[in-house]
Amino acid sequence: MKAIVTVIGKDKTGIIAAVSGELSRLNANIEDISQTVMRDYFVMMMMCDVSKSEEIASIAQKLTDLGKKIGVDIRIQHEDIFNSMHKV
Amino acid sequence: MLANNEIFETVKMISDQNLDVRTITMALSLFSCIDSDAGETARKVYEKIVTAAGNLVRVGEELSLEYGIPIVNKRVSVTPVSLIGAASGGYEQICRAMDEAARAIGIDFIGGYCALVHKGMTDFEREFIETIPSAIASTEKVCCSVNVGSSKSGINMDAVRLMGVKIKELARLTAQKDCVGCAKVVVFCNAVEDNPFMAGAFAGTGEGDRVINVGVSGPGVIESAVAKIPDAPLNELAELIKRTAFKITRAGALIGAEAAKRLKCAFGTVDLSLAPTPKVGDSVAHILERMGLESVGAHGTTAALALLNDAVKKGGVMASSNVGGLSGAFIPVSEDIGMIDAVRRGAVTIDKLEAMTAVCSVGLDMIAVPGGTDAPTISAIIADECAIGMINNKTTAVRVIPVYGKAVGDVARFGGLLGEAPIMAVNKYSAEKFIARGGLIPAPIHSNKN
């Protein structure tokens, strides 16, 4: 199952390290990353395979906690929500 | 492959623009609960609701976390109780069983304390309607609806007259809480059988045993889209609203189909109504103002609302083949911060709202009127609204709250998603003799299609 992780927040050192470290601990395999900094704002999107990890709901909780710790907004969502909204 | 801007558009809709699934409503048939003994009927009703919908809240929360989209309400609607209790009587006992079941499974509301009397009333339906004030005042989560007219059969003015009286009685019974009981009662013309929204949801007799109907919302998303093209011609605006409604509906259809699968139910409909809440950034009135009106209620409001309602329907129909329910823009007063402000500044009157209901879904919704408003006046408001629905082949409804002890200039406070409503003036001239006639307003000529 594929899920999409989005990270948005004020740029600082170590965001990618912290998020990818947590995903690795959760056994979520990152398949695609795109990241940029727009006007001091860090914006990142990751496509992950979560078939071998826990339920998305419990990953979501852990990523939210991590987000609070490092001061950015982290979400994980089933990829179908994006596919259904943007693909005909 | 998804583009980054598409991903961030969805994230922004959810985080900044209040995109949500407003409700997942499980429609349950209660026909199997009918018994000649009222206690036994009530027991079976409780059992059926708790067994069939016991997992509804858990599944809703799971889906919300997995797809990252809030699901605001989880609800149940049931077969009109006037039919389920016809053999046993004891309607209030059934109502209490529904309330207890709703609490036991943790849902927000349960709808279906309902009678369909659009052409005539049987003795048991009359008995049912008599119980509405005390049944609704003494329960917390049960919602009630009565269909008093249809394009096919006309308007049952005896039922209209009776409902005016019952609404006043219910207001009196809940007077200490600003008559909030009346917020749980809606009177319909052309009620739909698959509506997931309260207070009017019930499981139609033509529906299956267990069906999931989903209500999507997102006034904030549409408002943000409209704000992007402040000077564009209205056809371009309609196109943009349509495309935005498409995306919102797709999200709802996905959640609905997934909820139905996990709850082992049939998937019924997606109702793509724009349902506001009292939060800033969740207002239908603000969309109309973004379209170029200084205040909702100004001349031009009906035209703007007609464009909005139609564009939302077109986008939704393209997005899902399961579109149903009411599907359009809701214009409740107390539940929409922009509407509340417009009433306060004197820009919106009950007459303008009535005109707006001719082009949007539903009708005069969550309107607080002075406590001194008499029953025939409330019946007359219902009759006017039914006439608009009957002639125009659309659903119309009245959810009006006569607030005891309050007059124009005061504010009724209902709390939570029900919000607050400045008391609105009603016309001071009487329709008492007209309402007292009773009988049936015949169906219009164009209903004769066979």
Side-chain angles (χ1 to χ4, degrees):
Chain A
M1 187 165 58
K2 301 286 169 65
I4 287 171
V5 175
T6 48
V7 184
I8 304 174
K10 196 125 179 70
D11 190 26
K12 61 185 206 177
T13 315
I15 300 175
I16 298 184
V19 176
S20 52
E22 185 70 19
L23 288 171
S24 154
R25 275 189 291 282
L26 292 165
N27 219 10
N29 188 36
I30 302 167
E31 296 185 340
D32 191 13
I33 299 188
S34 134
Q35 180 265 315
T36 183
V37 175
M38 291 189 297
R39 279 171 276 146
D40 286 350
Y41 262 81
F42 176 93
V43 180
M44 176 164 73
M45 185 279 286
M46 291 167 150
M47 167 82 83
C48 301
D49 183 344
V50 291
S51 334
K52 292 187 183 129
S53 31
E54 346 174 350
E55 300 283 312
I56 292 184
S58 87
I59 303 177
Q61 194 51 55
K62 288 175 181 146
L63 290 178
T64 308
D65 293 345
L66 173 68
K68 279 187 194 141
K69 211 165 86 189
I70 62 173
V72 291
D73 184 25
I74 311 179
R75 289 166 185 263
I76 183 166
Q77 292 166 271
H78 196 300
E79 71 160 343
D80 283 354
I81 188 92
F82 302 98
N83 285 330
S84 63
M85 286 176 79
H86 299 284
K87 306 285 172 219
V88 179
Chain B
M1 185 63 202
L2 285 155
N4 285 2
N5 61 344
E6 292 171 339
I7 289 171
F8 285 107
E9 185 187 6
T10 295
V11 170
K12 214 170 158 194
M13 281 181 182
I14 295 167
S15 63
D16 301 347
Q17 299 162 7
N18 297 314
L19 171 63
D20 55 44
V21 172
R22 190 51 51 87
T23 179
I24 298 184
T25 304
M26 184 188 284
L28 273 182
S29 166
L30 293 186
F31 281 123
S32 60
C33 306
I34 293 173
D35 197 284
S36 56
D37 176 71
E40 196 55 18
T41 307
R43 190 190 63 76
K44 287 183 188 171
V45 165
Y46 180 90
E47 282 299 316
K48 172 112 194 201
I49 295 165
V50 171
T51 312
N55 286 332
L56 180 61
V57 172
R58 185 180 57 76
V59 167
E61 281 164 4
E62 252 173 42
L63 289 172
S64 179
L65 282 169
E66 209 166 295
Y67 290 91
I69 184 165
I71 299 171
V72 183
N73 296 299
K74 295 93 186 169
R75 297 164 169 173
V76 168
S77 64
V78 298
T79 315
V81 169
S82 61
L83 303 176
I84 301 308
S88 60
Y91 288 115
E92 289 189 61
Q93 212 172 335
I94 301 172
C95 189
R96 281 195 296 276
M98 288 164 68
D99 199 44
E100 281 161 22
R103 277 175 223 248
I105 60 174
I107 53 171
D108 308 278
F109 280 117
I110 181 162
Y113 202 70
C114 167
L116 308 175
V117 292
H118 37 278
K119 194 165 182 194
M121 260 185 293
T122 58
D123 289 344
F124 64 82
E125 280 160 339
R126 196 179 291 273
E127 183 193 326
F128 170 84
I129 291 174
E130 290 294 339
T131 69
I132 290 173
S134 66
I136 298 305
S138 62
T139 51
E140 187 194 351
K141 293 181 182 286
V142 179
C143 289
C144 165
S145 53
V146 178
N147 192 54
V148 297
S150 79
S151 296
K152 198 74 193 151
S153 62
I155 304 170
N156 179 350
M157 289 299 288
D158 292 324
V160 169
R161 184 180 53 186
L162 191 55
M163 283 313 294
V165 174
K166 295 299 143 192
I167 286 170
K168 282 290 283 184
E169 281 178 27
L170 177 53
R172 199 175 310 118
L173 290 175
T174 52
Q176 282 174 330
K177 293 181 187 162
D178 274 353
C179 308
V180 70
C182 299
K184 295 186 285 178
V185 175
V186 58
V187 184
F188 274 120
C189 177
N190 291 325
V192 292
E193 300 204 320
D194 52 9
N195 160 27
F197 286 103
M198 295 297 171
F202 64 91
T205 54
E207 298 281 315
D209 192 43
R210 290 201 286 170
V211 181
I212 291 291
N213 297 316
V214 172
V216 294
S217 192
V221 179
I222 304 278
E223 190 197 338
S224 302
V226 173
K228 277 186 212 151
I229 49 168
D231 304 310
L234 292 169
N235 51 321
E236 284 176 28
L237 193 63
E239 182 62 27
L240 181 65
I241 294 171
K242 204 169 81 179
R243 275 189 277 137
T244 312
F246 172 88
K247 292 174 190 169
I248 297 173
T249 310
R250 293 280 279 204
L254 172 70
I255 298 291
E258 197 55 37
K261 198 163 86 189
R262 293 186 193 186
L263 291 160
K264 299 186 174 61
C265 295
F267 178 37
T269 59
V270 187
D271 185 319
L272 35 109
S273 292
L274 292 179
T277 69
K279 270 195 298 190
V280 172
D282 213 12
S283 157
V284 171
H286 286 164
I287 302 176
L288 301 174
E289 289 168 4
R290 284 276 185 201
M291 288 168 78
L293 301 167
E294 186 182 0
S295 169
V296 66
H299 294 297
T301 300
T302 310
L305 183 60
L307 181 156
L308 172 67
N309 203 57
D310 184 64
V312 166
K313 278 185 205 290
K314 283 174 179 160
V317 166
M318 170 76 186
S320 167
S321 38
N322 292 62
V323 170
L326 302 161
S327 288
F330 290 175
I331 51 166
V333 173
S334 77
E335 298 168 340
D336 186 320
I337 186 75
M339 206 64 89
I340 295 169
D341 290 343
V343 174
R344 283 220 172 95
R345 70 172 82 96
V348 167
T349 60
I350 209 163
D351 301 332
K352 186 63 183 176
L353 283 168
E354 186 183 309
M356 289 162 75
T357 65
V359 298
C360 79
S361 55
V362 201
L364 291 174
D365 197 15
M366 290 303 289
I367 290 171
V369 296
T373 309
D374 61 10
T377 301
I378 291 174
S379 294
I381 292 172
I382 295 170
D384 281 344
E385 205 48 42
C386 287
I388 290 174
M390 175 180 77
I391 298 292
N392 295 305
N393 290 306
K394 69 185 288 292
T395 305
T396 48
V398 173
R399 188 159 51 144
V400 66
I401 303 130
V403 186
Y404 273 90
K406 297 209 167 168
V408 176
D410 296 333
V411 175
R413 293 192 167 80
F414 308 121
L417 284 181
L418 296 173
E420 59 179 51
I423 310 290
M424 297 180 81
V426 296
N427 195 300
K428 63 181 181 184
Y429 296 99
S430 173
E432 193 174 354
K433 281 188 180 166
F434 176 70
I435 296 300
R437 286 172 183 268
L440 183 83
I441 296 183
I445 178 71
H446 56 245
S447 71
N448 246 319
K449 285 180 181 161
N450 281 340

